[in-house]
Amino acid sequence: MVGMMEGKAGLVTGSGSGIGRATAIALAKAGAKVMISDVSDEAGQETVQMIKDQGGEAAFFKCDVSNEEQVIELVNKTVETFGKLDFAHNNAGINKGLVPIGEMETKDWDITMKVNLYGTFYCIKHEVNAMLKTGGGAIVNTASGAGIEGSPNMAPYTASKHAIAGLTKSVALEYGQKGITINSIAPGATITPAIEHWAKTSPEQYQGVLSSLPAGRMSTAEEQANAVVFLCSDLARSISGVTLAVDGGYTAGKMQQ
């Protein structure tokens, strides 16, 4: 994908680790200038340094996406730093309230919605207005396999990710004729440090999950990032309003156990 994003500039939220970091690095490798955004200064600056060490261009702006004023500042800072906003990956998210809904604390529901759904809304709202000034752009949101199917003991997360998929479709209809595409990725089980730790501490559970995956393995953060880069690129200009499952076929159906 070298050169695929040459001359483009944009932002990635939640890019201090995981899928967000992998996406920011992949975008930079493809030639883009990337504004790194995260609630952690240390993690965000580390991503910037990783990109610079590989010859890419990046800057950092701390942002809590649940705060609309901070999102406005993030978008403005990106335009100020790079001159424009060609793409955005709205990736920041949390997963709180991992209990049946009858046992759930309302505060866990509220904060999950505030970060995942409201945060995505704030980002899209201000990103489209920046993109309209330069003739359009591409937005990719991070939904989830839990935004396609239900998931027990994850009601707020599942509801927020389903909502992101619907929001993506609506915005695609609103801005398609104005040069803006908007899509979502729906990551399935993806290797992260937490998953690697779980594999070591609960190997039987881990193997049980692996056996349910048609690909026979979990995705990597880099594979999720590749999907985002494609959707941000000019190769995907006719793709909009789609939630793309990047899950090795998991949501296609269930494996026989």
Side-chain angles (χ1 to χ4, degrees):
M1 292 192 290
V2 175
M4 185 183 290
M5 298 294 292
E6 197 70 41
K8 296 186 182 295
L11 64 87
V12 181
T13 66
S15 47
S17 62
I19 293 171
R21 170 176 283 178
T23 298
I25 291 172
L27 286 162
K29 284 183 177 179
K33 300 174 183 178
V34 188
M35 181 63 73
I36 305 304
S37 175
D38 202 272
V39 293
S40 168
D41 285 287
E42 182 179 359
Q45 292 288 3
E46 188 175 63
T47 301
V48 170
Q49 192 59 51
M50 293 171 73
I51 289 173
K52 289 183 176 180
D53 288 345
Q54 297 177 31
E57 185 171 348
F60 174 71
F61 189 85
K62 185 176 182 178
C63 177
D64 174 356
V65 297
S66 69
N67 183 314
E68 186 173 9
E69 291 304 315
Q70 291 186 28
V71 171
I72 293 171
E73 292 175 3
L74 168 63
V75 173
N76 289 343
K77 187 64 174 179
T78 303
V79 174
E80 176 187 324
T81 302
F82 301 132
K84 56 182 178 175
L85 183 72
D86 295 310
F87 65 85
H89 180 202
N90 302 320
N91 172 72
I94 61 172
N95 189 4
K96 297 286 188 180
L98 302 178
V99 294
I101 198 165
E103 302 171 19
M104 186 171 300
E105 296 286 344
T106 300
K107 63 180 177 63
D108 287 334
W109 176 278
D110 290 344
I111 188 60
T112 302
M113 289 296 170
K114 191 67 175 176
V115 174
N116 294 3
L117 181 55
Y118 278 72
T120 301
F121 157 62
Y122 296 149
C123 287
I124 294 171
K125 174 183 176 181
H126 298 290
E127 289 160 0
V128 295
N129 288 326
M131 289 175 175
L132 288 174
K133 296 176 182 178
T134 53
I139 297 172
V140 180
N141 304 313
T142 296
S144 170
I148 297 175
E149 298 184 323
S151 188
N153 301 327
M154 291 171 54
Y157 183 82
T158 302
S160 70
K161 294 301 186 177
H162 272 74
I164 288 171
L167 177 61
T168 297
K169 292 179 181 179
S170 291
V171 177
L173 297 174
E174 294 170 356
Y175 288 90
Q177 294 185 5
K178 297 179 180 179
I180 296 175
T181 63
I182 180 166
N183 297 286
S184 296
I185 60 166
T190 302
I191 297 172
T192 63
I195 292 292
E196 291 174 342
H197 176 72
W198 174 55
K200 294 177 181 177
T201 58
S202 303
E204 291 183 2
Q205 292 180 9
Y206 176 76
Q207 289 301 323
V209 170
L210 281 184
S211 68
S212 71
L213 303 177
R217 65 176 182 85
M218 292 189 181
S219 301
T220 66
E222 289 73 22
E223 287 170 330
Q224 303 294 336
N226 289 340
V228 177
V229 175
F230 169 70
L231 291 172
C232 285
S233 77
D234 290 340
L235 294 178
R237 291 180 66 181
S238 289
I239 302 174
S240 195
V242 168
T243 295
L244 176 64
V246 188
D247 63 1
Y250 181 76
T251 51
K254 295 295 176 285
M255 299 284 286
Q256 296 296 319
Q257 300 296 315

